[in-house]
Amino acid sequence: MRILVTTPYFYPHSGGSQNYILNLYSTLVKKHPEIKVDVVCYNTNKVSIREKYKGLNIYRVSCWEILPGQFALPNYFKLFSLVSELKKQNGKYDLVNAHTRFFDNCLWGPFVANYLGAKAVLTDHCAYSPKHSSKIVTTVARAVDFLLTPQVARLYDDTLCVSKATKKYLQGLGVNASAVFYGGVDSKKFKNGKAKSKRHLPKVKKIFDEKDVVVVFLGRMIYSKGPQVLLGAAKSMVDKNSHLYFVFAGEGEALKKLKGQKVK
């Protein structure tokens, strides 16, 4: 069995959907060596265009990153040349799995699947329409989501999602996802409920007491992730609890605006 996975952002770019894809398919090929998985992504990190990582064959296409860390478009000539090369090299594929509905790979994914003689499956990760600091960008993204997503979903043999919230949101768009597949955690990385790595624990112990409750936002500081929402909630919550602390860590377009707004 051979699977082609399409996603604009992938390793070494770090993010929720990228980690989901990496963990899912690296575990699959580890448990079933007879299954081959090729990943076609965009070279947003300017690294090697071809790489084998955790059992996956990664192919990166040069691209134009319109919104850094959020939206990119590939060199379509190189993209479809690569797909043609993969067909000649590997023959028929069994499945093409495109990820995240509002990226362009979900538009061309079903046509690539047809070209490769494969089934097309869309896996969606988002329970909301894209958000941006620009109200115009946010409004356009929401309009495109409502108008285009139902049409695109019809091109796929099946639609899956990673949470019940995403499934409910898709239903609101007129798309019925057949199943929910949650992201997993490798329990072997934890012992007795504690992470193996203790690099930062000494520093944390100096800042907080055992009786303190610490809430951490760790991710990209972009409006779609909602750090501004958590910050707003935090401001009202810490006033009522002297042992409650919020820590924000990450980079992105929202960082400059949020930075300096200390919440205890």
Side-chain angles (χ1 to χ4, degrees):
M1 183 178 187
R2 196 163 202 109
I3 300 172
L4 180 67
V5 179
T6 72
T7 175
Y9 292 92
F10 195 60
Y11 172 83
H13 180 90
S14 182
S17 61
Q18 293 81 52
N19 291 335
Y20 176 97
I21 298 167
L22 180 60
N23 292 336
L24 173 65
Y25 281 108
S26 62
T27 301
L28 177 66
V29 297
K30 185 177 181 180
K31 291 187 176 182
H32 300 278
E34 72 278 7
I35 298 177
K36 308 301 178 184
V37 178
D38 301 326
V39 180
V40 171
C41 58
Y42 304 160
N43 198 3
T44 55
N45 288 70
K46 312 299 182 186
V47 294
S48 175
I49 61 173
R50 300 192 181 190
E51 179 180 1
K52 193 173 184 67
Y53 181 70
K54 291 192 174 183
L56 308 179
N57 302 308
I58 304 174
Y59 299 88
R60 302 184 179 97
V61 180
S62 58
C63 66
W64 173 35
E65 203 165 12
I66 301 173
L67 297 175
Q70 298 183 65
F71 192 79
L73 290 176
N75 179 319
Y76 286 105
F77 176 78
K78 290 186 177 181
L79 172 65
F80 295 122
S81 294
L82 172 61
V83 172
S84 178
E85 178 186 339
L86 291 176
K87 183 177 182 179
K88 292 178 182 178
Q89 176 181 305
N90 303 317
K92 183 180 180 297
Y93 280 75
D94 298 281
L95 176 68
V96 171
N97 185 197
H99 286 260
T100 311
R101 69 182 184 276
F102 44 72
F103 289 136
D104 76 297
N105 64 302
C106 292
L107 294 175
W108 51 260
F111 301 101
V112 167
N114 184 63
Y115 174 69
L116 297 175
K119 293 287 186 180
V121 173
L122 171 63
T123 300
D124 197 32
H125 296 253
C126 297
Y128 47 78
S129 60
K131 294 179 177 60
H132 192 264
S133 57
S134 168
K135 291 184 178 180
I136 295 177
V137 173
T138 299
T139 301
V140 171
R142 184 174 177 80
V144 170
D145 201 11
F146 273 81
L147 294 173
L148 196 58
T149 296
Q151 309 306 321
V152 172
R154 292 189 181 95
L155 300 175
Y156 285 86
D157 295 290
D158 201 358
T159 300
L160 310 174
C161 49
V162 301
S163 69
K164 289 182 179 179
T166 302
K167 184 175 183 179
K168 183 178 180 180
Y169 181 82
L170 289 177
Q171 288 175 337
L173 297 179
V175 178
N176 291 315
S178 66
V180 175
F181 288 91
Y182 299 102
V185 175
D186 186 355
S187 60
K188 293 181 181 179
K189 292 184 178 180
F190 297 85
K191 289 185 177 180
N192 299 323
K194 296 181 179 180
K196 289 182 179 180
S197 175
K198 298 182 179 180
R199 264 187 321 185
H200 303 300
L201 290 183
K203 183 177 180 181
V204 172
K205 286 183 178 179
K206 291 180 181 179
I207 299 174
F208 303 109
D209 296 326
E210 290 186 3
K211 60 185 176 181
D212 293 331
V213 176
V214 183
V215 179
V216 179
F217 176 96
L218 180 60
R220 285 179 292 151
M221 292 291 181
I222 60 176
Y223 292 96
S224 287
K225 299 293 183 182
Q228 74 283 3
V229 177
L230 180 60
L231 182 61
K235 288 179 179 179
S236 61
M237 294 174 69
V238 295
D239 291 336
K240 302 175 183 178
N241 192 326
S242 60
H243 296 292
L244 179 61
Y245 293 83
F246 287 79
V247 178
F248 293 76
E251 296 182 349
E253 60 163 343
L255 179 61
K256 186 176 181 180
K257 185 175 181 180
L258 299 178
K259 197 173 182 179
Q261 298 185 43
K262 296 181 180 179
V263 181
K264 203 167 180 181

